[in-house]
Amino acid sequence: MALASGFTPIGILGSLVSIGTLMAFVIVSIGVIFLRYQRPELERPFKAPWVPFIPALSALVSLGLMAGLPWSTWERLIVWMAIGIVLYFSYGYTHSEVRKRDAVMPAAGGTSRR
């Protein structure tokens, strides 16, 4: 990142930081709503007020701010997100303890669980 930032104009870096931060806010806001309804039993060290209104409003405002950024910034976001998703899932697949355990542990009947 330091090498890339050394050769990238500051305006482009500013736009990338802005859209990346806003995308993180959107993902977290949607995650708050999702977890509140899908996993209500989870312990929460703090409570978000007025769920789902405040998280939904946060996601919408962040998306609205993102919409004001130029298309070239969106293209860069899409490319970086695609690279990140590929790295995330490929690393997760190759280092998954559950997958390794399931491949080694025989199921009833002598076959591997999948």
Side-chain angles (χ1 to χ4, degrees):
M1 290 287 98
L3 186 63
S5 65
F7 295 103
T8 306
I10 192 71
I12 292 174
L13 284 176
S15 293
L16 285 173
V17 168
S18 294
I19 201 166
T21 303
L22 290 167
M23 178 60 92
F25 287 158
V26 170
I27 292 169
V28 168
S29 297
I30 293 170
V32 166
I33 296 168
F34 178 81
L35 285 175
R36 180 66 62 97
Y37 292 106
Q38 294 296 318
R39 301 290 306 272
E41 77 282 358
L42 290 178
E43 180 183 340
R44 291 173 173 80
F46 64 91
K47 301 276 186 191
W50 297 353
V51 172
F53 177 72
I54 295 293
L57 184 62
S58 170
L60 288 174
V61 168
S62 296
L63 283 170
L65 290 170
M66 289 170 71
L69 293 169
W71 175 245
S72 60
T73 303
W74 280 91
E75 289 172 335
R76 291 180 187 103
L77 173 70
I78 292 166
V79 169
W80 278 110
M81 288 290 289
I83 291 169
I85 288 170
V86 167
L87 289 174
Y88 179 83
F89 284 106
S90 62
Y91 181 86
Y93 180 78
T94 58
H95 292 84
S96 171
E97 295 297 323
V98 173
R99 184 183 61 80
K100 291 175 188 174
R101 183 190 68 220
D102 287 349
V104 172
M105 184 187 315
T111 60
S112 296
R113 286 180 22 196
R114 300 240 172 190

